[in-house]
Structure formats: C-alpha cells, structure tokens
Amino acid sequence: MARSGLASAARVAHWADTALRPGRDGAGPDGKGTLSDSTAELAAGDLSLTVAQVRADWDTARLAGLVEVHGDSARPGWRLRAWDRDDSAVLRGWVALFDAWSLAHPEPADHEPAAVAEVVSAMPQVLSFLQLSAGPVPVEQLLDLLEQRVTELRTERCEIPYGPQPEPTPVATDAPLDPLLDWALHALAAVGALTCGDGQATLTPLGSWAVWVKLEQICVAAQSPAGNIEQAAEGMLRGCAQLRPKAARDEYRAWLAARPVGSAVTELLDAARGEDALLRGLAFEALRVVGAPAEPDVRSVADEPTLRPYALLWLAEHDGVDPEDAHEALTREEATWLWVDTAAAVADHGEAPLLVRHLESAVQPTVPMLLDEVRAVGHPRTVQVLVALAAAHPDPALAKAVRRAAFQVHTGGN
C-alpha cells in the first residue's frame, strides 16, 4: 500500500533524477525546492500529466523524503535510491508523509492559525482512538473527542498571573471545530491513512500500522533507563557502556525515538569523532539501530581516517554482508588501525584479561607481525596500547617484545 500510494511521487522524482542535473537545475529560487515553471512544464510533457499533477506529486515526494531540498536546489533522497530494493525505505517515506499530513492538504483559509494548530496537536489522540476501535467510528463521536482534547490543551496552557487582571475576552479559537475536523480527516485520507464517508471514518491498514508504530515508539521511550534519554549522545553512550548488548540496543532505540533522525545521527557522529575510542564503537552500534536513514551521513564520513574503518564495516553490513565477513571490506592497514582503536577502548575501560584476549582478534597471524604493522599504522594511541598490553600479558618474553615495540614507537626508532 505504501509503495502504490507513493508511486506517482516516485515517478516524478525518478524523472527529475534522470532528466535534470541533481542539485543544480529544476528547483525554484524560494529555498523550498519548489519546481520552476519551466521544469514543471517539461515534466508534464514527458510524463503525460498536467502541471498541477506534477506539482502535487513533487510536493508529495518532498514530504516523503524521496527528494531532499538544499537551499534553492533539490536532489534525490536516500529513499528514492533504495526504492526498488528496500521496502523499509518506502514505508519510512510513507510515514514521513503521514507525519506531514497537515502540510500535504492545506488547511481552510478562513480559520485562525491558533485553532488549526490546536486541532493538529489533538489529532494523535483521535487517531489512537480510531486505531483502538479497529473499525468505522462516527464522525460525531470523533468531534466530541476532538473538542475534549482541545479543551485539555487550552487548560494545560492556562497560567494564572498575579495581581488584578482585566475581564477575559472571548478568543477566536472558541469557534466550532467541526469544519477543522472535516479538513483533518480529508487530509489524512489524502495521504492514505484513513477513509471517510457516510458520516464515518476508518483507519486503513497502513494508517493503523503507522499509529501502532507511533504508540510503540512512545512506549519504548518511556522504558528508557532513568536519565539516559535526556542526555546528549555522548552522555547516552557512556550510560550504555556497561549494559549488555540487547539492553544497550533498547536504550539506543529509546533515545532515537525521542529525536529527529537527522539530528540524532549528527550527534552520534560528533561523539564518534572524540578521543574516547569506546564511544566511537558504541556510536556506530547506535547507528546500526538507525539503519538506512543514516547511510548518507555514514558514507560521507568514510574519508575521515578516524571513522573510516567503522564506517566501512557499517556500510558493508548495511549492504547485506554478514557481520562476521564485514571485516573483508577493510584493507590490512585499516583493520590494524581498528585493532589499535579497539584496544585503546579496552585499555581505558576494560580489564587486563580482555586486552590480552584482544590479541586473538588481530588479522596478523603472529605477534611479531602484528607489532610491526601496529608500529607502522600511525594510530595516536599506539604507545599507550602497547604499554598496557605489555603490563597485562602473563608471558614475560612476549611482554618484553611489546614493551620494546612501544619504546620504538615512542622514540621513532626501528
């Protein structure tokens, strides 16, 4: 259903990707990615559509993330790139359109903006009621619920100031809500979330699924261990450092559910750029929970030496490579750099036996080969890692060789 609902928008977006030079031509100069008149007419001719249909489909493509707007230009989004191979990308695009239902179908022009905003804020409760009803609900019953929720919102906003106050005056938002409910229901029907007719409204299967997902996100966020969901990315990752993998993933999901995906990914990558190697690894674990929406950002940092091995592993797994084989995406030098970085995390936050066992994960078949390549890789924590490994290893001869390697890196000798 999501794929068929977005098919027309995807068709226009694919046309733009093929017929235009992405990021340069096609959008108007309004900073919103609106199609220029000439481009809309060209698309209409090529696709046998009216200009109005092209503009409507283009607007849907923008709201669904099939097209991304950057200043006065637009370019294909990751969801369009993944359209043919990833059903989850299509679903995410439809959910983005569902979230933007009030933009997809303009509100009545003769209503106060405050009243429109109240109805938009109240509709999640109306949708939840429809989802729980699992069938047609009379519009009159939905109107009663809407009026109750709007009254609650106004009460929650009410503040009682100190001192004498003038007599209250009626506000424009006390107007009847039934025209706005009619607008909201038809807007939600326009994006495929519900059907309405004969004085009743019913969620479509896709709309019911979307509401369920939103409710699940709220529940997940509510289950976050105390404090972590409110933290910035670095604090959240530190809070997850001692959790078992499943518990940490649950925490990542809760933290992500409370934030826009784009800003969350940016925060995680900023945390990964810090000096703490443990946070680097945890940040990319959290990015695995994000999944496909993080792909453009992860791909963009693959040229940063500090993040490159992590990014390449993430991208390999995202492309379907088994996690156990993903290391094959790294060169020998990149794998060695990652070994040192991971060892730094263990040295800073783990116990000595863990650091000794970390030797087994090296790609080099012998310790002398490992030491030679570690010395050459140029990781800034090489000396500290080798010193910690020498102190932890029970074999005196091996510990001596590791200390010698650490000294040579420190002094720049051979």
Side-chain angles (χ1 to χ4, degrees), residues 111-200:
H111 284 273
E112 287 288 333
V116 173
E118 287 175 336
V119 170
V120 172
S121 297
M123 283 307 293
Q125 186 165 333
V126 174
L127 290 169
S128 297
F129 182 77
L130 279 166
Q131 204 268 346
L132 291 171
S133 299
V137 177
V139 172
E140 289 184 1
Q141 190 173 356
L142 296 178
L143 180 60
D144 288 341
L145 178 61
L146 178 65
E147 290 173 341
Q148 292 174 22
R149 181 57 185 150
V150 168
T151 299
E152 291 172 357
L153 290 171
R154 293 173 182 171
T155 302
E156 291 169 2
R157 286 201 313 268
C158 180
E159 296 181 359
I160 303 176
Y162 291 101
Q165 300 295 317
E167 289 294 321
T169 56
V171 294
T173 53
D174 291 333
L177 295 177
D178 46 320
L180 286 175
L181 175 61
D182 183 68
W183 159 70
L185 293 178
H186 282 86
L188 286 160
V191 301
L194 54 78
T195 60
C196 51
D198 299 326
Q200 295 181 322

Side-chain angles (χ1 to χ4, degrees), residues 224-276:
S224 166
N228 284 339
I229 194 173
E230 303 294 338
Q231 300 281 342
E234 182 174 336
M236 181 274 294
L237 294 171
R238 292 192 187 282
C240 293
Q242 302 303 320
L243 298 178
R244 293 183 178 275
K246 182 182 183 305
R249 285 192 295 271
D250 289 343
E251 183 67 3
Y252 301 149
R253 290 190 185 96
W255 187 84
L256 291 164
R259 288 162 177 78
V261 173
S263 61
V265 170
T266 299
E267 272 198 62
L268 289 169
L269 289 174
D270 286 344
R273 291 186 178 97
E275 296 182 359
D276 194 330

Side-chain angles (χ1 to χ4, degrees), residues 6-149:
L6 292 176
S8 297
R11 184 180 178 215
V12 170
H14 278 302
W15 174 87
D17 187 22
T18 302
L20 306 177
R21 289 180 296 166
R24 295 184 183 179
D25 297 335
D30 61 356
K32 300 178 182 179
T34 304
L35 282 184
S36 64
D37 291 341
S38 59
T39 301
E41 291 170 1
L42 179 61
D46 287 351
L47 299 174
S48 300
L49 299 172
T50 66
V51 170
Q53 287 173 322
V54 168
R55 291 196 180 281
D57 290 339
W58 180 260
D59 288 341
T60 298
R62 287 189 296 153
L63 293 174
L66 301 177
V67 172
E68 296 177 352
V69 177
H70 298 267
D72 291 339
S73 65
R75 67 189 185 196
W78 70 267
R79 289 168 185 154
L80 186 68
R81 295 296 189 211
W83 180 266
D84 294 324
R85 61 179 170 81
D86 189 350
D87 288 340
S88 69
V90 180
L91 275 176
R92 286 177 182 272
W94 184 84
V95 170
L97 180 63
F98 168 73
D99 288 339
W101 64 266
S102 62
L103 302 178
H105 192 76
E107 71 272 12
D110 56 346
H111 284 273
E112 287 288 333
V116 173
E118 287 175 336
V119 170
V120 172
S121 297
M123 283 307 293
Q125 186 165 333
V126 174
L127 290 169
S128 297
F129 182 77
L130 279 166
Q131 204 268 346
L132 291 171
S133 299
V137 177
V139 172
E140 289 184 1
Q141 190 173 356
L142 296 178
L143 180 60
D144 288 341
L145 178 61
L146 178 65
E147 290 173 341
Q148 292 174 22
R149 181 57 185 150

